[in-house]
Amino acid sequence: MRDLSRSNAKLPAREMLREKNIRHFTPMVWLMATANGKRQPRLVPYIQDLIFVYDTREVIDPLVERIRTFQYRYLRNTWREPMTVRDREMERFIRAVESTQSPRYYTPEEITPDMRDRKIRIIGGPLDGYTGTLVTVRGSKHKRLLVEIPMLLAAAVEVEPEYIKLV
């Protein structure tokens, strides 16, 4: 879904969905922001208008009709076909992102072949059973697993070296 409300809106879509007890997920990052002359860390959405909503069209459609800044995100080169993500892929992505303090998000264009090092499987720990690629970023001391929602978003989450098995 898209949330076209301004960044300083009193009631952004994620807050409205929380009040209505509709399950949703917004990828969030910490940024330093100035408020009242002081720099403070602030949790903000990675992509301002991106929000994942887990519900049926019967529940979402009335909200979209009533709130002009809350819209479906449509697939490219189609005629008004809403973008959907499989439940399993979304659950996997959310679980991986919530397992670490500081996930790094990437758009598909930002992921280069150089970043993808090797295929790995996680054995043990909070991400037991995950498979993916080991992200290598020059100068980084941390091992990261790349978890993707195809064609939309990817996150690199920290993994302890003892849990990594090369495939």
Side-chain angles (χ1 to χ4, degrees):
M1 303 288 299
R2 297 177 68 196
D3 176 16
L4 299 178
S5 59
R6 293 179 179 239
S7 59
N8 61 351
K10 290 185 180 181
L11 189 65
R14 63 182 181 277
E15 297 298 326
M16 182 248 329
L17 293 170
R18 183 177 297 129
E19 287 177 4
K20 295 188 180 299
N21 293 324
I22 296 175
R23 190 170 168 211
H24 66 283
F25 174 74
T26 304
M28 305 289 273
V29 293
W30 286 98
L31 289 180
M32 294 300 288
T34 304
N36 300 326
K38 296 181 181 179
R39 290 183 48 83
Q40 301 173 348
R42 209 171 137 202
L43 198 58
V44 297
Y46 174 68
I47 298 175
Q48 181 63 38
D49 70 337
L50 179 66
I51 186 166
F52 296 98
V53 180
Y54 182 81
D55 219 322
T56 61
R57 297 272 312 246
E58 290 79 26
V59 174
I60 298 171
D61 282 345
L63 294 173
V64 170
E65 289 174 14
R66 195 176 75 233
I67 302 167
R68 296 181 60 105
T69 58
F70 190 56
Q71 301 173 354
Y72 284 105
R73 184 176 288 270
Y74 295 105
L75 294 172
R76 291 183 181 162
N77 302 324
T78 63
W79 191 80
R80 297 181 56 84
E81 183 180 338
M83 183 179 288
T84 58
V85 178
R86 292 188 185 123
D87 292 343
R88 189 169 182 227
E89 288 178 5
M90 196 68 226
E91 293 297 331
R92 181 177 189 265
F93 186 81
I94 292 171
R95 185 171 151 225
V97 167
E98 289 177 348
S99 73
T100 185
Q101 291 284 352
S102 58
R104 291 198 180 154
Y105 295 103
Y106 299 99
T107 59
E109 300 85 37
E110 292 175 324
I111 300 172
T112 63
D114 297 340
M115 289 173 65
R116 296 177 187 258
D117 191 10
R118 300 174 238 169
K119 286 280 200 189
I120 61 169
R121 175 176 285 125
I122 306 300
I123 308 293
L127 298 177
D128 187 29
Y130 275 60
T131 58
T133 56
L134 185 65
V135 177
T136 53
V137 177
R138 193 172 168 142
S140 176
K141 296 178 183 176
H142 302 285
K143 305 284 186 197
R144 293 183 181 269
L145 169 71
L146 189 68
V147 182
E148 296 182 74
I149 297 176
M151 306 294 292
L152 185 61
L153 188 65
V157 295
E158 288 184 27
V159 179
E160 295 297 322
E162 67 239 23
Y163 299 135
I164 297 173
K165 179 182 176 188
L166 295 174
V167 178

